[in-house]
Amino acid sequence: MWLHLFDGANVDVTMSITLDLNDSRPLHVQVAGAVRRAVAAGAYAPGDRLPPARDLAAALGVNANTVLRALRGLRDEGLLEFRRGRGVSVLRRPDARGVLAEAVRDLLALADQYGYGPEEVVHVIRELS
């Protein structure tokens, strides 16, 4: 899903956020991963403000508390900063290894849906490289 959001800082931002209701991971984990990927991809730079949690929640069709839980997790990772009266802003980009690890978790979840285990995924990767 592509979200075209007004972020409160007079900037239009398009973020790619996908939530898979068939994914066994909790929604807040999926939301955190999507925001992490958007920051890593450059949709937001350090210092940029994110859209309000309630706007993200409405666009995704999830509860605002789910989005807030995801954002708090990203704050605890040191990626986001919460400032009273100023919203949530990006402190830094995630490291490449963390983004890659998130993508691998997504791949393993997808593989699991199709009945493949981690060893089989590694075999497929080796065949493709």
Side-chain angles (χ1 to χ4, degrees):
M1 166 191 313
W2 286 93
L3 298 177
H4 195 67
L5 299 169
F6 176 74
D7 78 351
N10 297 324
V11 176
D12 257 344
V13 176
T14 302
M15 289 175 63
S16 173
I17 295 185
T18 45
L19 299 182
D20 182 356
L21 298 178
N22 295 320
D23 190 334
S24 61
R25 295 176 305 151
L27 287 175
H28 75 276
V29 172
Q30 291 185 55
V31 171
V35 172
R36 188 182 296 108
R37 285 189 301 274
V39 172
Y44 291 96
D48 288 349
R49 286 191 328 200
L50 295 180
R54 69 177 158 270
D55 292 353
L56 285 172
L60 293 169
V62 298
N63 188 291
N65 288 325
T66 300
V67 173
L68 286 170
R69 184 172 179 188
L71 297 178
R72 282 192 300 267
L74 294 172
R75 177 197 59 199
D76 294 346
E77 288 177 26
L79 299 180
L80 302 179
E81 176 182 40
F82 288 40
R83 294 182 120 182
R84 186 178 303 268
R86 297 190 62 184
V88 179
S89 59
V90 176
L91 275 178
R92 64 175 179 82
R93 287 211 164 115
D95 66 313
R97 183 174 176 86
V99 174
L100 180 61
E102 181 70 28
V104 170
R105 280 191 285 277
D106 292 345
L107 175 62
L108 290 173
L110 178 65
D112 186 57
Q113 289 176 355
Y114 288 101
Y116 291 97
E119 298 81 18
E120 293 162 309
V121 172
V122 169
H123 181 72
V124 170
I125 292 170
R126 285 193 176 128
E127 286 178 347
L128 295 174
S129 58

